[in-house]
Amino acid sequence: QGKGKPNVVSSGATKVKLTVNGKDHVLMLEPRAVLLDVLRNDLNLTGCKDVDDRTASGADTVMIDGKPVLASSRLAIQCVGQTIQTVESLSDGKNVDEVITGFVKHDAMQCGFCTPGFVMATRAVLNKNPKASLEEIQKQLGGNICRCGTYHGITKCALEIAKKGGA
């Protein structure tokens, strides 16, 4: 709010600029558009998954300004001016984040629905605390659920990276 202008948003589609994976995207969005739907449907970034209708699984985890956030819990317009990072940002075709390679090494995935969310949550944990302990890793990943039970591989991956200093 500035200079007496009310903070009002139109009920129809409006121009919204989102910064996703280092690129600015200008989109026409309704104010009710959820970030998860915008990422998947408008930007074709399908890594984060829509697994449930209660934002409880963590499969839609992205990072917003470096913090893990459930994309289905945010309206896209709430993210204007913030930096959004999806799992797609962790590989450019040549370079792959060590969390992804660690998930493969430690067999930390089965059906794959939770995997992108866990990868992003793990990356966020290690960004916040590069030398995190097992207990810290488990606590920080507590908001993500895996129906297949790959928790052991996920924590082994995170702990291995943390023991190296969290590169």
Side-chain angles (χ1 to χ4, degrees):
Q1 294 183 7
K3 299 186 180 185
K5 292 184 180 180
N7 189 7
V8 177
V9 177
S10 166
S11 62
T14 187
K15 195 180 286 189
V16 174
K17 182 172 123 182
L18 298 175
T19 304
V20 182
N21 299 335
K23 296 179 181 174
D24 289 336
H25 301 273
V26 178
L27 305 159
M28 291 300 291
L29 301 174
E30 292 186 13
R32 65 183 173 162
V34 176
L35 180 61
L36 174 63
D37 295 333
V38 172
L39 293 172
R40 292 182 60 79
N41 301 331
D42 296 301
L43 298 178
N44 200 32
L45 297 169
T46 57
C48 53
K49 306 292 187 238
D50 185 8
V51 174
D52 63 38
D53 61 355
R54 291 179 289 285
T55 68
S57 71
D60 60 329
T61 302
V62 297
M63 282 193 274
I64 298 178
D65 290 340
K67 295 179 181 163
V69 174
L70 302 176
S72 61
S73 71
R74 296 286 169 97
L75 296 173
I77 61 171
Q78 289 177 287
C79 302
V80 171
Q82 297 177 316
T83 301
I84 303 162
Q85 188 178 1
T86 70
V87 72
E88 288 88 353
S89 71
L90 299 183
S91 173
D92 64 8
K94 294 179 189 174
N95 303 304
V96 178
D97 189 283
E98 69 179 321
V99 172
I100 294 172
T101 57
F103 266 57
V104 173
K105 175 182 176 184
H106 292 288
D107 199 24
M109 62 208 136
Q110 284 188 24
C111 78
F113 278 98
C114 73
T115 306
F118 261 113
V119 166
M120 292 305 290
T122 302
R123 174 43 54 213
V125 168
L126 295 170
N127 286 351
K128 181 179 178 183
N129 184 357
K131 296 182 180 185
S133 68
L134 176 61
E135 293 76 24
E136 291 169 313
I137 292 165
Q138 289 171 329
K139 181 179 179 184
Q140 295 298 311
L141 296 179
N144 292 64
I145 298 171
C146 175
R147 296 181 308 174
C148 303
T150 62
Y151 300 108
H152 180 70
I154 293 166
T155 54
K156 273 181 73 172
C157 165
L159 198 55
E160 180 179 278
I161 295 169
K163 285 182 178 178
K164 293 188 305 186

